[in-house]
Amino acid sequence: MFYKKKFLNCLKKHFILKNKKIYVAVSSGLDSMVMLDLIFKSCNNPIGVIHCNFNLRGDDSDKDEFFLKEFCLKNNLNFKSKNFNTPPIRRKKKFSIQMIARKLRYDWFKFLLNNSYCDYIALGHHLDDSIETFFINIIRGTGIKGLIGINNFKKNIIRPLFFFSKKEIRSYAKENNLHWREDISNNDFKYLRNKIRFFLKPILNYKFYNGFKKSIKYLSDEYICSYHHMDYIYNYIIIEKKKCPFLVKIDLKKLIRLYPLSTYLFKIFYKYGFKNPKNLKNILNSKSGKKIFSKKFCLIKDRTTFLLVEKSFFLLKKIYYLHNLKNTFFISFLIDDKKNYSTYVDYEKLIFPLKIRNWEKGDKFNPIGLKGIKKLSKYFKDKKMSLVEKKNIWVLINGDNKIIWIISDRLDQHFKVTNLTKKVLNINLHNFF
């Protein structure tokens, strides 16, 4: 009764589960079978059992699945199993067995949650697992987040045994005559976790658990303070932020004052996929125009700023053709719903079809108000445009490939309306940029 009461108190304190459907992820091992028994006997929630068969242990993998099917049939529980052909996937992805199995497992959990099969998925991680993860992360190198061990408060993923030790879990199983299957891979010393587990056994006692719980609490508080501090730093260094196109402009003078710089660079840019502080330092000290790419973003050094843009935007290049529509153009492109650009040109100087495209190196024109021909690259430099601003420049091109108009900026002298103009064309670009 003691363990059941402690378990219920833990659930009530940390999770709001009233009228929520729970899927219990069960491997058939001791920990997950204890969790299933406690949830089954303690909660009034509708529950189901889910199982991942990674096909890594031959017949044993199938026997685990069969064991759970029998249990669910006997107790009238809904059972879902997912089979993964793990070895070929691992060879293709070049991850460790444990890493690829974890990814496959959590991808399936995400699918079940996103498609409303359940409200929560319960996992059987316990206090000893968190301690082992703590030491694994120390050995591999980690920060405060890694020292916290297993995160018990992820959205829709709950770990009801998180505050129970392995010793308590085993005692509950024996007192309630539970059956489970042993995974022989838990004794294989090729896995770092098993080595750490064997090393920790002699020192896992009441004092150790209490001290560890306190340490995790202190580390969690430190992490929360650090997290809020980074929000402040982020707002301090940002000059500008736009949604369309996605753009963050960062003040380099403020950025380089931060100490320790490598740590701040990592924390600021990690969420955008830039995980190597050395690369970030290199671009920080490089010439203007230097770029580095992550999977989804591009970081650009531009004079006194860092420009962070979506990679898809930076690589974008399109051409639109405009055919003769008598006296007006009304073009609608859903790129930005706030901007409209309009100009008037001498109709008789146009050669159709016209086209709209990104500006290109070598483009030149004769801007109104300035003498002579100017290269667009020089014109933009004189205006001190950033690389992203230049990327977002579009030009209207005549049929003979001469530039008519730098859209949003300036018309070419040759196409302007004068006293000699006989026919005027209004070009109106609505929702273009």
Side-chain angles (χ1 to χ4, degrees):
M1 284 297 294
F2 167 74
Y3 294 115
K4 184 177 176 182
K5 187 176 180 180
K6 184 178 177 182
F7 178 79
L8 278 173
N9 288 338
C10 179
L11 282 180
K12 288 176 183 177
K13 183 177 179 181
H14 297 287
F15 308 108
I16 302 171
L17 303 177
K18 190 176 181 181
N19 300 322
K20 302 293 185 181
K21 184 174 182 180
I22 304 171
Y23 272 178
V24 186
V26 185
S27 66
S28 82
L30 169 65
D31 307 330
S32 57
M33 289 305 294
V34 166
M35 177 180 64
L36 176 58
D37 188 75
L38 279 164
I39 291 177
F40 182 58
K41 291 177 179 176
S42 307
C43 301
N44 296 320
N45 301 63
I47 69 170
V49 174
I50 56 175
H51 173 72
C52 297
N53 185 343
F54 296 108
N55 292 292
L56 291 171
R57 295 181 290 114
D59 289 343
D60 268 359
S61 293
D62 296 328
K63 286 176 182 177
D64 289 348
E65 186 176 342
F66 181 76
F67 173 83
L68 289 173
K69 279 182 181 177
E70 291 281 294
F71 179 90
C72 292
L73 190 64
K74 182 180 177 181
N75 292 282
N76 197 28
L77 290 172
N78 181 32
F79 177 71
K80 287 182 184 292
S81 181
K82 180 79 170 175
N83 269 259
F84 299 99
N85 195 8
T86 312
I89 298 173
R90 181 225 176 176
R91 286 192 292 271
K92 185 178 179 181
K93 298 285 186 180
K94 298 181 180 177
F95 290 157
S96 70
I97 283 288
Q98 289 178 317
M99 285 294 291
I100 198 64
R102 185 181 188 280
K103 184 180 186 324
L104 292 171
R105 180 167 66 250
Y106 279 95
D107 283 350
W108 186 41
F109 294 165
K110 188 176 179 180
F111 170 81
L112 293 172
L113 290 166
N114 288 346
N115 289 277
S116 302
Y117 286 90
C118 58
D119 300 298
Y120 291 96
I121 291 177
L123 305 183
H125 296 118
H126 49 77
L127 189 56
D128 289 49
D129 288 325
S130 191
I131 293 169
E132 291 160 12
T133 302
F134 173 90
F135 283 102
I136 286 171
N137 291 341
I138 283 179
I139 290 168
R140 290 174 176 168
T142 190
I144 293 178
K145 189 176 181 182
L147 292 177
I148 294 169
I150 296 170
N151 184 357
N152 188 35
F153 301 102
K154 283 189 177 179
K155 187 180 179 182
N156 303 120
I157 298 286
I158 62 174
R159 294 176 172 86
L161 299 180
F162 189 76
F163 300 99
F164 290 76
S165 70
K166 185 77 171 186
K167 187 177 179 180
E168 289 174 313
I169 290 168
R170 193 173 290 278
S171 295
Y172 177 89
K174 287 180 179 178
E175 286 177 15
N176 291 273
N177 297 313
L178 299 187
H179 299 284
W180 65 90
R181 284 179 53 78
E182 292 288 354
D183 183 348
I184 58 171
S185 68
N186 287 334
N187 298 315
D188 191 340
F189 273 29
K190 74 178 180 182
Y191 299 116
L192 178 59
R193 184 175 292 274
N194 293 343
K195 291 178 184 177
I196 291 171
R197 189 174 296 158
F198 179 79
F199 168 76
L200 288 174
K201 270 184 181 180
I203 60 172
L204 289 179
N205 54 34
Y206 179 76
K207 285 185 178 180
F208 186 96
Y209 285 122
N210 275 355
F212 183 79
K213 287 177 186 177
K214 288 179 183 178
S215 296
I216 292 299
K217 174 67 169 63
Y218 300 149
L219 287 167
S220 296
D221 291 345
E222 291 280 357
Y223 177 72
I224 291 168
C225 288
S226 171
Y227 185 84
H228 290 307
H229 171 71
M230 287 311 301
D231 281 344
Y232 167 78
I233 292 294
Y234 196 67
N235 291 328
Y236 167 71
I237 62 173
I238 283 181
I239 300 169
E240 183 181 2
K241 187 170 183 179
K242 292 182 180 178
K243 286 186 178 180
C244 187
F246 175 85
L247 165 69
V248 176
K249 189 181 286 188
I250 293 170
D251 189 325
L252 286 184
K253 286 183 180 178
K254 291 181 178 178
L255 183 65
I256 60 176
R257 290 192 197 121
L258 300 176
Y259 180 82
L261 183 57
S262 292
T263 303
Y264 277 107
L265 287 172
F266 179 79
K267 285 183 172 292
I268 292 164
F269 295 104
Y270 179 83
K271 63 181 176 180
Y272 300 109
F274 299 96
K275 300 176 183 180
N276 190 332
K278 187 176 179 181
N279 291 342
L280 293 166
K281 265 192 169 181
N282 287 341
I283 188 175
L284 189 63
N285 298 316
S286 65
K287 293 180 180 178
S288 184
K290 179 71 174 176
K291 299 183 285 290
I292 57 172
F293 293 90
S294 67
K295 191 174 181 181
K296 294 183 179 179
F297 296 93
C298 175
L299 186 63
I300 310 160
K301 167 77 176 293
D302 186 50
R303 302 186 188 94
T304 60
T305 61
F306 261 169
L307 304 175
L308 181 69
V309 294
E310 286 178 343
K311 189 175 178 181
S312 57
F313 163 77
F314 194 76
L315 299 175
L316 179 68
K317 189 172 183 179
K318 289 185 178 180
I319 298 176
Y320 301 97
Y321 288 93
L322 311 181
H323 296 276
N324 192 346
L325 298 177
K326 296 182 180 178
N327 295 320
T328 60
F329 284 120
F330 186 83
I331 319 298
S332 181
F333 293 103
L334 296 177
I335 299 176
D336 187 328
D337 59 1
K338 295 181 179 179
K339 296 182 181 179
N340 301 287
Y341 298 105
S342 181
T343 193
Y344 294 90
V345 297
D346 189 325
Y347 182 85
E348 292 183 340
K349 292 180 179 178
L350 300 179
I351 302 170
F352 290 91
L354 311 181
K355 65 183 176 184
I356 296 174
R357 63 162 170 81
N358 295 111
W359 79 280
E360 297 173 353
K361 193 173 181 180
D363 281 344
K364 51 190 177 182
F365 80 135
N366 186 0
I368 288 180
L370 297 175
K371 291 183 179 180
I373 304 293
K374 264 202 178 247
K375 282 190 175 182
L376 264 60
S377 56
K378 179 68 168 63
Y379 177 74
F380 297 148
K381 187 177 181 180
D382 292 343
K383 294 193 73 172
K384 296 185 178 178
M385 286 188 177
S386 72
L387 290 170
V388 172
E389 288 170 326
K390 287 190 281 187
K391 172 62 188 170
N392 205 26
I393 292 293
W394 296 71
V395 289
L396 179 64
I397 308 292
N398 203 20
D400 59 1
N401 287 323
K402 290 182 179 178
I403 291 177
I404 301 169
W405 179 31
I406 299 178
I407 300 168
S408 80
D409 193 87
R410 196 172 295 209
L411 197 68
D412 185 280
Q413 182 83 22
H414 177 70
F415 297 94
K416 72 177 183 180
V417 175
T418 67
N419 293 333
L420 300 176
T421 300
K422 296 178 181 178
K423 193 173 183 181
V424 175
L425 179 67
N426 172 221
I427 301 176
N428 182 15
L429 301 181
H430 172 67
N431 285 5
F432 189 79
F433 295 101

